[in-house]
């Protein structure tokens, strides 16, 4: 029997057909970084840098860093802290450091993120909730804030979620909590005004992992040590999330999720097309 001729890998041409995300017109941006540990500590300077550029363009910004934890010896060198900062609150430390470095105001909240404590700003503000947390409970609070805000002021609140395992990770971005909010999201084939939220794309984000359900819960640093995480994985997540932030605020975003694996050196994205969003769009939007 003749050998079957190997087939070339199928090309993904969806990027060429991808629509560009059109964010709401605004001169006021709010960035809320939830979690200032593994990934959040590396992403913090990028948030301050993006805010500085926006302010140079005459736009108003508000920044919040939120984390109840304090810097411990086990956080170094994996997280973006040094030994001189041992014992200090993570959110306050990063806020002071990067506020001074970039000349932007940064508010620090040294407690767990609570949707009830964060009130939505006026309708002319666009809020980006940036999740860099290690547990489902915190993500549920972010999802709650997204759901409440998107119901009252559609597409003014967005969720950029960052996550990782030992040597792989993902970044997801969206604005909607259910399919109804995605109605009319596409304007023709080249413009999109709304995206499914991270919890719609990856429902497991809201499910507690075994170590989270254990009676003696491990901290983020302890989970990282137990899983022998790569020293580079958090910085890679932060680098990808930074590119999302730049494209969110300055235009040109054509994807809603990016996944990577450091061991194989591979990465892939899901692009903003009707086919790519078919699992979440109302049926009449797909046709």
């Amino acid at each position: 029997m003749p050998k079957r001729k190997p087939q070339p890998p199928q090309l993904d041409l969806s990027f060429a057909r991808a629509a560009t995300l059109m964010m709401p017109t605004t001169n006021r941006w709010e960035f809320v970084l939830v979690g200032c540990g593994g990934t959040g500590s590396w992403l913090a300077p990028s948030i301050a840098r993006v805010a500085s550029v926006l302010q140079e363009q005459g736009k108003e910004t508000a920044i919040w860093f939120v984390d109840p934890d304090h810097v411990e010896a086990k956080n170094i060198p994996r997280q973006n802290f040094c030994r001189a900062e041992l014992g200090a609150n993570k959110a306050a430390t990063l806020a002071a450091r990067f506020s001074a470095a970039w000349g932007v105001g940064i508010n620090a909240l040294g407690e767990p993120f609570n949707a009830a404590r964060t009130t939505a700003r006026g309708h002319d503000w666009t809020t980006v909730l940036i999740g860099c947390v290690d547990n489902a409970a915190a993500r549920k609070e972010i999802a709650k804030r997204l759901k409440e805000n998107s119901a009252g002021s559609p597409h003014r609140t967005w969720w950029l979620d960052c996550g990782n395992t030992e040597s792989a990770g993902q970044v997801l971005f969206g604005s909607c909590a259910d399919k109804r909010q995605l109605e009319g999201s596409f304007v023709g084939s080249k413009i999109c005004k709304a995206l499914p939220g991270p919890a719609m794309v990856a429902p497991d984000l809201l499910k507690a992992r075994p170590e989270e359900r254990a009676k003696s819960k491990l901290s983020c640093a302890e989970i990282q040590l137990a899983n022998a995480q790569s020293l580079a994985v958090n910085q890679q997540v932060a680098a990808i999330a930074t590119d999302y932030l730049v494209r969110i605020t300055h235009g040109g975003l054509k994807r809603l999720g990016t996944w990577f694996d450091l061991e194989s050196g591979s990465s892939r994205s899901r692009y903003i097309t009707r086919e790519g969003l078919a699992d979440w769009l109302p049926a009449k939007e797909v046709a």
Side-chain angles (χ1 to χ4, degrees):
M1 186 175 180
K3 291 185 178 181
R4 183 183 234 175
K5 185 177 180 181
Q7 297 296 312
Q10 188 174 4
L11 292 176
D12 181 5
L13 300 177
S14 52
F15 176 73
R17 297 181 286 101
T20 300
L21 180 66
M22 184 173 69
M23 295 290 291
T25 302
T26 184
N27 286 316
R28 294 179 171 180
W29 290 90
E30 180 183 39
F31 304 100
V32 183
L33 174 62
V34 186
C36 298
T39 295
S41 62
W42 296 107
L43 185 53
S46 294
I47 296 171
R49 186 158 52 106
V50 168
S52 177
V53 171
L54 290 171
Q55 288 183 9
E56 289 176 358
Q57 297 171 348
K59 299 180 180 180
E60 189 174 351
T61 66
I63 307 173
W64 288 88
F65 287 174
V66 184
D67 198 308
D69 293 339
H70 293 72
V71 181
E72 301 177 69
K74 61 190 174 187
N75 299 141
I76 303 168
R78 190 176 305 280
Q79 300 179 17
N80 192 11
F81 299 103
C82 66
R83 297 197 178 279
E85 295 164 329
L86 287 172
N89 173 261
K90 292 180 179 180
T93 296
L94 295 176
R97 191 198 305 174
F98 297 118
S99 177
W102 289 99
V104 297
I106 303 175
N107 304 291
L109 189 61
E111 59 185 59
F113 178 76
N114 187 321
R117 276 185 55 82
T118 55
T119 57
R121 293 179 178 268
H123 69 279
D124 56 344
W125 283 80
T126 295
T127 296
V128 182
L129 303 171
I130 306 167
C132 297
V133 297
D134 64 328
N135 62 87
R139 293 190 198 94
K140 285 180 180 179
E141 283 295 325
I142 299 174
K144 181 180 178 181
R145 167 79 182 268
L146 181 72
K147 183 176 182 180
E148 292 174 349
N149 287 12
S150 61
S153 185
H155 318 315
R156 282 291 179 181
T157 300
W158 296 73
W159 176 7
L160 180 67
D161 190 75
C162 306
N164 65 277
T165 56
E166 292 88 341
S167 62
Q170 75 284 331
V171 174
L172 304 173
F173 183 64
S175 61
C176 298
D178 59 56
K179 284 188 175 184
R180 291 173 297 175
Q181 296 172 343
L182 283 164
E183 290 184 5
S185 54
F186 278 89
V187 180
S189 61
K190 294 300 181 181
I191 297 294
C192 183
K193 300 186 296 181
L195 295 172
M200 291 181 67
V201 176
D204 284 351
L205 289 175
L206 305 184
K207 295 180 181 179
R209 293 170 296 178
E211 56 265 35
E212 296 174 49
R213 295 192 295 266
K215 290 183 180 180
S216 178
K217 293 184 178 179
L218 298 177
S219 69
C220 180
E222 289 168 333
I223 291 172
Q224 290 176 339
L225 289 172
N227 293 328
Q229 287 193 3
S230 162
L231 282 174
V233 68
N234 294 120
Q235 289 166 282
Q236 180 70 6
V237 179
I240 293 171
T242 296
D243 186 64
Y244 271 76
L245 282 175
V246 171
R247 295 177 187 277
I248 289 164
T249 54
H250 291 82
L253 185 65
K254 293 188 176 185
R255 58 191 188 275
L256 67 146
T258 299
W259 293 259
F260 71 88
D261 180 82
L262 291 179
E263 186 174 359
S264 64
S266 62
S267 66
R268 63 183 177 86
S269 293
R270 178 169 288 218
Y271 300 106
I272 303 174
T273 64
R274 292 181 187 272
E275 297 84 359
L277 273 66
D279 291 341
W280 308 288
L281 289 174
K284 62 181 180 181
E285 296 284 330
V286 180

